[in-house]
Amino acid sequence: TISEIMVEVRDINNNPVPGVVVKLISDRQDDLIKQPAKTNSQGTSIGHITSAKPGKAVITASIRDKTLRDSAEVIFKQ
C-alpha cells in the first residue's frame, strides 16, 4: 500500500516558503518513505509512504532538525 503525504510550509505571516527541504519520519521502522523534493513556489511538496505491515503510522515532518507541530496518521489495511 502507498499513501501520499503533502507538506505545506508557511512562515509566521502565513506566506508560502519555497525551496525548503522537509524530512518525513514514521513512528514505525517497517515503513518506507520516499522523501519529498524541496517545496515549490506555493510552499508545498509531496512525499510517499509505503508499508506491507497493517496498522497506523504517525508521520511527522522536520526542517533542519526542528519537528513541525502537525502530524499525519496513515492507516494501512491488510
Side-chain angles (χ1 to χ4, degrees):
T1 305
I2 189 168
S3 184
E4 281 188 352
I5 307 283
M6 178 185 272
V7 179
E8 183 177 51
V9 180
R10 296 191 166 267
D11 66 16
I12 196 164
N13 297 313
N14 204 31
N15 297 310
V17 182
V20 175
V21 175
V22 179
K23 181 179 180 184
L24 298 177
I25 304 156
S26 175
D27 66 340
R28 306 183 329 158
Q29 293 182 356
D30 296 328
D31 300 333
L32 298 173
I33 295 178
K34 180 181 176 200
Q35 296 296 332
K38 288 183 180 180
T39 55
N40 63 19
S41 62
Q42 287 84 38
T44 61
S45 188
I46 296 175
H48 297 89
I49 181 170
T50 307
S51 185
K53 179 181 174 185
K56 178 175 78 170
V58 176
I59 310 304
T60 55
S62 66
I63 299 172
R64 292 186 219 117
D65 297 328
K66 294 190 186 219
T67 302
L68 302 181
R69 65 181 165 142
D70 295 330
S71 62
E73 290 184 1
V74 178
I75 307 290
F76 292 101
K77 296 186 178 182
Q78 217 168 9

